[in-house]
Amino acid sequence: MAIYHLSMQIISRSKGQSAVAAAAYRSGEKLHDERTDEQKFYARHVQPETMILTPSNAPEWMKDRNRLWNEVEKVEKRKDSQLARELNIALPIELSHDQQKELIQSFAQNEFVQKGMVADIAIHRDDANNPHAHIMLTMRNLDQDGFGKKNRDWNADFANAKENNRGYVKNSKGCLSIREQWANYANQALEQAQINERITHLSHEKRGLETLPMVHLGHVAHDMEKKGKKTDRGQINRDRQDYNKAVVDLQAYRSQKEEHLKKMKEKEKQFSFSTDIEKTYIQKAASLVDQKVITLEDITARHEELSKMSDRHDPIERHFHAQQQQFLNVSNYYDRVRDLEREIQQNEEKVEELKKSLNPFKLKENNMIKRRHLDRISDLESNKESYENSLQTYKEKLRFNTREEFIERYQSFNKNKENRLNQIHYEKKQIQVETKVLLQAEEAIKQAKIREISSYYPDLKTAGKHLTYSNALRLEKYHDTAQQNQFRLSNIKQSLDANHKKLEEFKKHQKIVRIEKEHVSTMSKEVEKLSSIEKQLDELDKSPGGKAKRLVSKKARQDYEELQSEAKYGRENLRELGYKGQQDLQQQQSRINTMEKTVVPWLEKEIKTHESNINALNTVFNAIQQATRSEEQAQQRHQLRRVRSTNINKSKNQGPELSP
């Protein structure tokens, strides 16, 4: 699970720290501290992945880690100098190593390097479950020679972020900005990787969570806990885990209780609009799913379960029918082999009889008959062999060797098949019964909802029974937002007319704004065009040889006259457009820009609102009209049946006419 952790600190001499030592520890490289003339090296089991990002104006040597931090040490003269800023950031474990690297690189480049800082990044993966990055940042402006003055403006973007013993983080406004930016970068990377996990910089308190956050162990406490040694921070986390488990259990109990109360209220409301028989249907369905209260969602879920149960029956039945056919085939093969053996034996007996015959006059005839019997025996044996080969295939499938074993297997199969099919038949009947009960309950719940919604609308007092369930749901949405006096059809019609009228007004205003905008745009283009023409005329008039050239050259004179004509037409056109000068045009453009920012969005919002209202009111109006029309049609059909029944009764009472 992706976790959020971002802490910041200042690396300072007043704390006995060294920028070179800090860089050596984080990078896992051997660095030489020129100020103390010491070698700094901290061995690591897993070598960190490191990189140095520099601004575009930074000299090339700043990409050398050893020289970079030694230069930082040289430029800082005070014994309490602040040497560097450092961020410690947890990387999302769901991302690959390359994605983690790209994420931290992008964050550092955009948030720090582009502002002029050098970022020395080290990604630590010693613990596969805790990948994190250290970013060391320089604190001075850069020039062509190296480091210049400290940039105090950067202080507004940073602040110490120290976890106290209660586990929350004290941050300045600037620090919150950096923390929030990291959450945005990480979440964007997770989204691009199509991973659903997200992180947030907000505390549990601000997110409205009752659980307590875990504290960051740090590498020292983490290593000690890994070796089985308990630490204060580790104990805080263990205590909080126990507390959070209790909170989660309590929240689950509250959620269940709220859900139960909600369902009980639904049942009470539901039953107040149900008939006695409908209440019976609903209670019966509730007992089937072992619930006190049942909803349409519960019924749909149960229908899906029953459908899955029914779907499981078909393959089983098909399997039994297929296996039954195999057993029947084997039985037929055995019967056929037995018949072939009997026929072979009969033909062999006849051949033996012919051999014993001593009549010399029938010798030729007997030989011919014997040959026919022998050919027949050969054909029969070939057929028998074919059936025996088929039997051999089934012996492997049905697991038998002899006819006796086959009979036992067949009897056992028939018994098993009968039991299983009887069970399936019973389950199918149960599914049919349960489906019927669920359908009755579903219809009962829908009818109760229709009656409930109809009770809000006076026009549906009698026509409500003709309201469809889908229309009832639409009316329910309108009922949640409408006033009581709006429920009559006449009031809804008035609201529709009023909304249509308002919509037309807003659209009219929108059109006026659009026309004004186009008018000002056209005027502006004409002014620019006229200004360009007048500039050309002015240049021609000021040209020393221009007038002489026009006297000599017919083309030059025509071009000049055309420009004069265009200028005249432009002035007349602007006069018709109402142009009163550049200052007036600028005022009109300013007014249009203001309207674009304020009036136009307001008009669009109002138009969208009234269109939405009209759609909702149309839905309600049509639903009520449909119900009332259905009621009128039902009354007409009933009246027609009564008239026909009366006419039939009159005919029966009058009887046949008697002839005089």
Side-chain angles (χ1 to χ4, degrees):
M1 176 181 176
I3 62 169
Y4 183 94
H5 172 75
L6 187 151
S7 60
M8 292 180 258
Q9 69 163 333
I10 298 290
I11 297 173
S12 172
R13 283 201 189 121
S14 63
K15 301 176 189 176
Q17 294 173 316
S18 159
V20 177
Y25 177 78
R26 285 147 184 78
S27 67
E29 292 182 9
K30 187 181 292 186
L31 303 180
H32 179 71
D33 190 337
E34 296 175 4
R35 186 170 65 88
T36 61
D37 195 26
E38 293 176 338
Q39 289 291 109
K40 304 294 184 182
F41 178 64
Y42 305 90
R44 288 186 168 277
H45 296 297
V46 179
Q47 182 61 28
E49 187 172 4
T50 63
M51 66 201 85
I52 295 177
L53 307 180
T54 60
S56 57
N57 64 328
E60 190 64 25
W61 59 260
M62 285 192 176
K63 292 184 179 179
D64 181 343
R65 183 170 287 108
N66 195 84
R67 184 174 175 185
L68 170 67
W69 296 111
N70 273 299
E71 289 294 330
V72 167
E73 290 281 356
K74 285 177 187 177
V75 79
E76 302 296 347
K77 308 298 183 183
R78 295 163 56 95
K79 63 180 180 181
D80 59 350
S81 291
Q82 294 182 341
L83 305 170
R85 291 187 181 91
E86 185 202 20
L87 283 78
N88 185 343
I89 305 175
L91 300 173
I93 196 170
E94 291 79 6
L95 299 177
S96 67
H97 288 187
D98 288 341
Q99 289 169 334
Q100 290 172 350
K101 178 182 176 182
E102 184 180 351
L103 167 61
I104 198 69
Q105 209 170 359
S106 173
F107 174 65
Q109 180 69 36
N110 296 333
E111 296 303 316
F112 309 121
V113 178
Q114 285 187 3
K115 293 178 181 179
M117 307 175 214
V118 177
D120 186 357
I121 304 172
I123 301 174
H124 290 182
R125 296 196 176 92
D126 305 68
D127 183 352
N129 296 316
N130 182 32
H132 60 278
H134 294 269
I135 306 177
M136 286 180 63
L137 300 167
T138 55
M139 304 178 73
R140 290 178 175 268
N141 287 325
L142 306 182
D143 55 35
Q144 58 184 2
D145 298 322
F147 293 106
K149 292 183 178 181
K150 279 196 173 177
N151 191 328
R152 305 297 178 185
D153 294 337
W154 294 342
N155 294 340
D157 297 332
F158 291 93
N160 288 334
K162 299 179 180 178
E163 293 183 355
N164 65 12
N165 55 2
R166 293 185 182 176
Y168 60 82
V169 179
K170 294 181 178 178
N171 298 312
S172 71
K173 187 175 179 181
C175 178
L176 181 64
S177 174
I178 294 296
R179 292 173 61 79
E180 187 174 0
Q181 285 299 335
W182 168 247
N184 293 336
Y185 275 86
N187 288 335
Q188 187 177 0
L190 289 165
E191 184 179 356
Q192 288 175 351
Q194 297 182 341
I195 296 167
N196 294 328
E197 292 287 341
R198 296 293 182 270
I199 63 174
T200 177
H201 65 290
L202 297 175
S203 66
H204 281 219
E205 183 180 355
K206 288 187 178 180
R207 291 161 65 196
L209 301 178
E210 295 182 33
T211 54
L212 296 175
M214 297 295 105
V215 299
H216 184 63
L217 288 177
H219 69 277
V220 176
H222 182 270
D223 290 341
M224 290 176 67
E225 289 282 340
K226 202 171 181 181
K227 293 173 183 176
K229 297 177 182 178
K230 292 187 177 181
T231 62
D232 291 341
R233 284 176 170 265
Q235 189 58 45
I236 290 172
N237 280 344
R238 282 185 285 275
D239 292 341
R240 291 188 177 188
Q241 283 173 347
D242 293 339
Y243 171 81
N244 289 344
K245 187 177 183 301
V247 168
V248 169
D249 291 342
L250 181 61
Q251 288 173 338
Y253 169 74
R254 285 176 186 164
S255 178
Q256 289 174 0
K257 190 174 181 180
E258 287 173 4
E259 186 67 25
H260 176 70
L261 290 173
K262 182 181 175 183
K263 285 196 172 185
M264 291 305 294
K265 285 180 181 178
E266 285 179 2
K267 180 182 178 182
E268 186 179 342
K269 191 175 181 180
Q270 191 180 82
F271 274 23
S272 63
F273 292 96
S274 300
T275 64
D276 290 340
I277 187 66
E278 286 173 347
K279 289 177 186 176
T280 304
Y281 290 150
I282 294 170
Q283 288 173 335
K284 199 172 180 181
S287 64
L288 279 175
V289 296
D290 196 23
Q291 291 185 12
K292 292 183 179 179
V293 183
I294 192 168
T295 63
L296 288 176
E297 291 75 17
D298 297 327
I299 291 174
T300 301
R302 185 57 183 163
H303 272 308
E304 290 175 357
E305 290 175 5
L306 293 176
S307 178
K308 288 177 182 177
M309 289 171 60
S310 181
D311 291 342
R312 286 197 294 268
H313 291 153
D314 292 339
I316 296 171
E317 288 180 318
R318 286 197 298 270
H319 170 72
F320 275 117
H321 288 315
Q323 207 164 18
Q324 171 77 32
Q325 188 59 51
Q326 290 179 345
F327 276 108
L328 286 174
N329 289 341
V330 172
S331 180
N332 290 333
Y333 291 159
Y334 269 124
D335 290 342
R336 189 62 186 138
V337 167
R338 185 183 58 199
D339 292 341
L340 288 169
E341 286 176 343
R342 187 184 305 115
E343 194 173 351
I344 288 170
Q345 185 178 356
Q346 289 172 356
N347 279 276
E348 286 177 343
E349 288 174 355
K350 287 179 181 179
V351 169
E352 289 300 322
E353 287 177 6
L354 290 170
K355 284 180 180 180
K356 293 177 181 178
S357 175
L358 300 175
N359 189 345
F361 298 104
K362 292 186 176 182
L363 183 61
K364 186 175 179 181
E365 182 182 352
N366 288 345
N367 285 336
M368 290 177 64
I369 295 171
K370 185 169 71 171
R371 174 52 56 192
R372 282 199 297 272
H373 282 301
L374 290 172
D375 290 342
R376 179 61 180 161
I377 289 169
S378 177
D379 292 340
L380 292 171
E381 284 180 343
S382 177
N383 289 340
K384 178 186 170 187
E385 184 180 359
S386 176
Y387 282 117
E388 285 175 342
N389 290 336
S390 298
L391 279 171
Q392 191 62 38
T393 303
Y394 281 109
K395 283 179 181 179
E396 295 174 4
K397 288 182 181 179
L398 301 178
R399 300 190 304 279
F400 68 90
N401 291 316
T402 63
R403 184 182 178 85
E404 289 72 20
E405 287 181 6
F406 165 73
I407 293 170
E408 286 181 11
R409 287 278 298 133
Y410 196 10
Q411 290 173 346
S412 174
F413 165 77
N414 280 329
K415 187 177 180 180
N416 184 33
K417 183 190 78 169
E418 186 177 359
N419 292 337
R420 191 69 182 93
L421 291 182
N422 286 339
Q423 183 183 357
I424 289 174
H425 180 70
Y426 173 77
E427 288 176 0
K428 280 187 173 181
K429 294 217 61 156
Q430 289 296 107
I431 289 172
Q432 289 174 356
V433 170
E434 193 168 338
T435 300
K436 184 179 178 181
V437 171
L438 291 172
L439 290 172
Q440 289 172 335
E442 182 178 358
E443 185 60 26
I445 292 171
K446 287 181 177 180
Q447 288 301 320
K449 174 60 73 175
I450 290 170
R451 291 190 197 98
E452 178 195 342
I453 302 304
S454 299
S455 68
Y456 304 141
Y457 295 85
D459 296 283
L460 294 176
K461 189 173 183 180
T462 57
K465 61 184 177 181
H466 299 284
L467 186 68
T468 64
Y469 180 68
S470 58
N471 280 341
L473 294 181
R474 294 189 183 99
L475 292 178
E476 184 179 33
K477 287 182 181 178
Y478 179 68
H479 166 254
D480 292 338
T481 56
Q483 300 296 323
Q484 189 68 31
N485 61 356
Q486 291 180 309
F487 293 165
R488 287 192 174 277
L489 201 61
S490 56
N491 292 332
I492 294 171
K493 185 68 171 67
Q494 288 176 2
S495 295
L496 259 174
D497 293 340
N499 273 275
H500 273 297
K501 189 176 179 181
K502 282 284 186 184
L503 180 63
E504 289 302 317
E505 288 179 8
F506 287 125
K507 283 188 173 180
K508 185 179 178 181
H509 289 312
Q510 190 183 45
K511 186 177 180 180
I512 290 170
V513 172
R514 187 169 60 251
I515 290 171
E516 284 189 21
K517 183 182 176 182
E518 290 172 356
H519 177 78
V520 172
S521 176
T522 302
M523 190 186 296
S524 177
K525 288 177 182 177
E526 288 296 325
V527 168
E528 288 179 7
K529 185 178 177 183
L530 178 60
S531 176
S532 175
I533 293 170
E534 288 178 339
K535 186 178 178 182
Q536 291 180 50
L537 286 170
D538 189 49
E539 288 175 354
L540 289 172
D541 289 337
K542 288 180 180 179
S543 175
K547 188 175 287 188
K549 188 177 180 181
R550 287 194 294 275
L551 290 171
V552 177
S553 171
K554 183 179 180 181
K555 185 177 184 310
R557 188 166 58 254
Q558 286 177 342
D559 291 342
Y560 184 79
E561 289 172 354
E562 283 178 8
L563 285 173
Q564 284 182 322
S565 177
E566 285 181 24
K568 182 181 177 182
Y569 174 77
R571 293 187 196 98
E572 291 174 355
N573 196 23
L574 283 172
R575 202 161 35 246
E576 289 176 5
L577 290 171
Y579 179 67
K580 297 178 182 179
Q582 187 65 31
Q583 187 177 357
D584 178 65
L585 176 61
Q586 289 174 352
Q587 288 176 352
Q588 290 191 55
Q589 287 175 330
S590 177
R591 187 170 62 86
I592 291 294
N593 290 335
T594 303
M595 290 173 71
E596 281 284 310
K597 292 177 182 177
T598 57
V599 178
V600 171
W602 174 74
L603 285 171
E604 289 175 348
K605 184 180 178 182
E606 289 296 324
I607 288 170
K608 191 175 180 180
T609 300
H610 282 79
E611 284 177 342
S612 177
N613 290 341
I614 288 169
N615 289 335
L617 289 167
N618 267 327
T619 299
V620 174
F621 189 80
N622 293 335
I624 296 175
Q625 269 201 333
Q626 184 180 343
T628 52
R629 279 199 300 266
S630 297
E631 183 190 31
E632 290 170 1
Q633 291 169 359
Q635 288 175 349
Q636 290 172 0
R637 287 194 297 270
H638 179 68
Q639 187 67 26
L640 185 61
R641 282 197 297 269
R642 284 184 63 186
V643 171
R644 286 177 179 172
S645 178
T646 303
N647 291 337
I648 291 170
N649 289 334
K650 282 182 181 179
S651 299
K652 286 182 180 179
N653 291 335
Q654 287 176 355
E657 292 185 3
L658 298 174
S659 58

